[in-house]
Amino acid sequence: MKDRKQASMLFIFITLLIDVIGFGIIIPVLPDLIRELNGGNYSDASRIGGWLLFAFAIMQFIFSPILGNLSDRFGRRPVLLFSLFGFGCDYLLMALAPDLLWLFIGRMLAGITGASFTTAGAYIADVSPPEKKAQNFGLIGAAFGMGFIIGPALGGLLGELGSRVPFYGSAIITFLNFIYGFFILPESLPKEQRRKFEWKRANPLGALLHLKKYPLAYGLIISLICIYIAAHSVQSNWNFFTMGTFGWSERQVGLSLALVGLLVGLVQGVLIRYTIPKFGQKKSLYYGLALYTIGLILFGIASEGWMMFVFLIPYCLGGIGMPALQAIISSQVPANEQGELQGSLTSLMSATSIIGPVLMTNTYAAFTAENAPVHFAGAAFLLGAVFMFVSILFAMRSLKHYQPVEHEKQFVPDEKKPAIDLVE
């Protein structure tokens, strides 16, 4: 049983890693692809980029709880494979897109099928004992980080061959991942733990209201909303900001995001194995959000391109907080509702992604337009810092009476074991 759990976790890690590589490849070239199809400068392209993310998010908001509930009914494996296949089709559409309309169609398709992280979260919850959940949820961040070491760097290199070449690369990687999963991925949810599918629990608003069943999880919803919106000041804005402000090339954008990936991988794949036991989940969350806030402020006031690389350090160290938050919420939910929970959390993230990208890219565009009353390219980062600070206040209020379980202090990582072995 132990060997099967270890193999399952390794597969999920590899699946997410390849998935993120496919996503990361396209980031450095997206601004230039938009300009190729629409014309204009980076300020104009940032607005369109925000609406592309909006199209993805609104579809994901609607369909993530459906797929999360389907994974509780039919298992994690078929839903995860369906998601991967949909992403592969999206990348092909974007590679072949003759105009902006096809870019939007591709993004909407990806939003409909984009449940890989939702289902992976449920998969991890299925195979993780309570004392290992925080560390195992950290593997999601580690895969994200490593994928962003490889993906953007590769995208920056491929982008020099043409703005569409990285999309073909993403499609190939994603379809290979689908084939790999089809033949290798085991099911994690036993049939006796599955439940029937109910539409009333699968609609997006119902999915958000589902969080109300668990008072502690529901109490953190405002904090999560603020965190997700704040994150888009980086996620939706980084490539437009650095290209438009510092004149970075696709290669430089790719290298900077590769550094993000390296730092996130170290923080969530290694560092949290020590911070969670030392500080506990509650303090790890507070420290992480504080570091995020500091990093966003520093991005906003950066006056030279090299500063962005230095300021990534405190920002990425903030990654110690999110696995702790995921573990706190997951611990409030029974095993046969983990898929529904992860679908609800993804719906929450998607709901904020309807707002966040448009808010942050339009803030950047408004303060960088030729007729802007005040020119300040870092405005979106400072706005993100405000949201992140508010999230700290709400987290402290929600967790005021939270009592950490004993195993938070007891877990001691075994130096002789590899970092991937977190599921015994």
Side-chain angles (χ1 to χ4, degrees):
M1 180 63 69
K2 177 181 175 181
D3 290 341
R4 288 189 62 189
K5 286 184 176 181
Q6 291 176 347
S8 299
M9 287 298 297
L10 179 60
F11 173 82
I12 288 296
F13 177 80
I14 294 173
T15 296
L16 293 177
L17 175 63
I18 296 175
D19 203 15
V20 175
I21 289 173
F23 178 76
I25 281 177
I26 71 175
I27 294 177
V29 298
L30 186 59
D32 283 338
L33 179 59
I34 294 173
R35 293 177 67 205
E36 176 186 320
L37 295 175
N38 192 63
N41 55 28
Y42 287 112
S43 183
D44 299 325
S46 69
R47 294 183 189 272
I48 297 172
W51 287 111
L52 281 170
L53 291 171
F54 170 89
F56 173 87
I58 197 167
M59 291 295 102
Q60 190 176 62
F61 174 69
I62 295 170
F63 285 93
S64 283
I66 296 175
L67 295 178
N69 277 266
L70 285 173
S71 79
D72 283 340
R73 171 63 182 88
F74 298 105
R76 318 303 184 198
R77 172 186 157 87
V79 174
L80 187 57
L81 294 177
F82 172 75
S83 172
L84 293 174
F85 186 80
F87 266 123
C89 293
D90 161 54
Y91 293 135
L92 278 181
L93 277 176
M94 296 185 76
L96 299 169
D99 52 43
L100 286 175
L101 175 62
W102 284 99
L103 286 186
F104 278 93
I105 292 173
R107 287 286 79 193
M108 292 174 71
L109 174 63
I112 291 171
T113 62
S116 58
F117 277 80
T118 299
T119 313
Y123 199 111
I124 290 171
D126 290 340
V127 301
S128 301
E131 70 274 11
K132 296 288 187 177
K133 279 188 177 179
Q135 286 76 22
N136 286 353
F137 275 123
L139 289 180
I140 296 178
F144 188 89
M146 290 185 66
F148 261 74
I149 296 172
I150 303 168
L154 184 58
L157 294 173
L158 293 176
E160 296 182 349
L161 303 176
S163 60
R164 297 175 185 266
V165 173
F167 293 93
Y168 287 110
S170 296
I172 292 170
I173 289 174
T174 305
F175 283 128
L176 287 175
N177 195 19
F178 169 80
I179 295 170
Y180 175 48
F182 184 83
F183 289 103
I184 301 298
L185 179 65
E187 180 56 64
S188 66
L189 185 65
K191 290 184 178 181
E192 62 271 15
Q193 292 186 14
R194 299 179 190 181
R195 60 174 180 82
K196 67 178 182 178
F197 179 86
E198 299 177 62
W199 280 107
K200 66 180 180 180
R201 299 176 70 171
N203 72 81
L205 295 179
L208 294 180
L209 292 175
H210 164 74
L211 295 173
K212 196 173 183 178
K213 291 169 57 179
Y214 311 102
L216 180 59
Y218 187 72
L220 292 170
I221 190 169
I222 298 178
S223 181
L224 277 171
I225 289 171
C226 292
I227 292 168
Y228 289 147
I229 292 176
H232 279 285
S233 63
V234 176
Q235 294 172 7
S236 305
N237 191 50
W238 183 269
N239 47 1
F240 298 105
F241 172 81
T242 53
M243 287 180 160
T245 304
F246 303 121
W248 283 10
S249 65
E250 290 91 343
R251 180 191 292 266
Q252 287 172 298
V253 172
L255 289 175
S256 68
L257 292 175
L259 178 59
V260 171
L262 176 61
L263 293 174
V264 170
L266 290 173
V267 169
Q268 296 200 356
V270 179
L271 186 60
I272 66 162
R273 299 185 67 195
Y274 300 92
T275 57
I276 295 289
K278 181 174 178 61
F279 302 122
Q281 293 171 355
K282 187 175 175 180
K283 287 185 178 180
S284 294
L285 172 59
Y286 295 158
Y287 295 155
L289 296 181
L291 286 165
Y292 275 144
T293 304
I294 293 169
L296 289 171
I297 293 172
L298 293 174
F299 289 152
I301 62 176
S303 57
E304 300 287 342
W306 62 266
M307 294 181 180
M308 301 299 287
F309 285 91
V310 176
F311 296 159
L312 281 172
I313 297 174
Y315 180 78
C316 291
L317 284 172
I320 65 174
M322 291 307 291
L325 180 57
Q326 286 177 293
I328 291 171
I329 296 174
S330 177
S331 66
Q332 309 299 306
V333 180
N336 67 348
E337 295 184 11
Q338 289 292 333
E340 185 177 22
L341 170 67
Q342 298 302 325
S344 297
L345 294 179
T346 302
S347 287
L348 176 63
M349 183 170 60
S350 299
T352 58
S353 294
I354 295 170
I355 303 168
V358 175
L359 176 63
M360 296 304 175
T361 56
N362 276 273
T363 298
Y364 168 74
F367 282 88
T368 56
E370 293 181 0
N371 59 349
V374 177
H375 284 265
F376 180 51
F381 293 122
L382 295 189
L383 179 60
V386 171
F387 275 101
M388 198 66 76
F389 180 73
V390 172
S391 77
I392 298 174
L393 300 180
F394 278 103
M396 292 177 69
R397 180 180 178 183
S398 299
L399 297 175
K400 185 176 181 180
H401 302 294
Y402 172 70
Q403 295 297 323
V405 293
E406 188 64 24
H407 63 66
E408 287 184 24
K409 298 288 187 178
Q410 290 179 341
F411 175 74
V412 178
D414 189 339
E415 296 289 349
K416 297 180 180 179
K417 295 184 179 181
I420 196 69
D421 185 11
L422 300 174
V423 295
E424 64 183 23

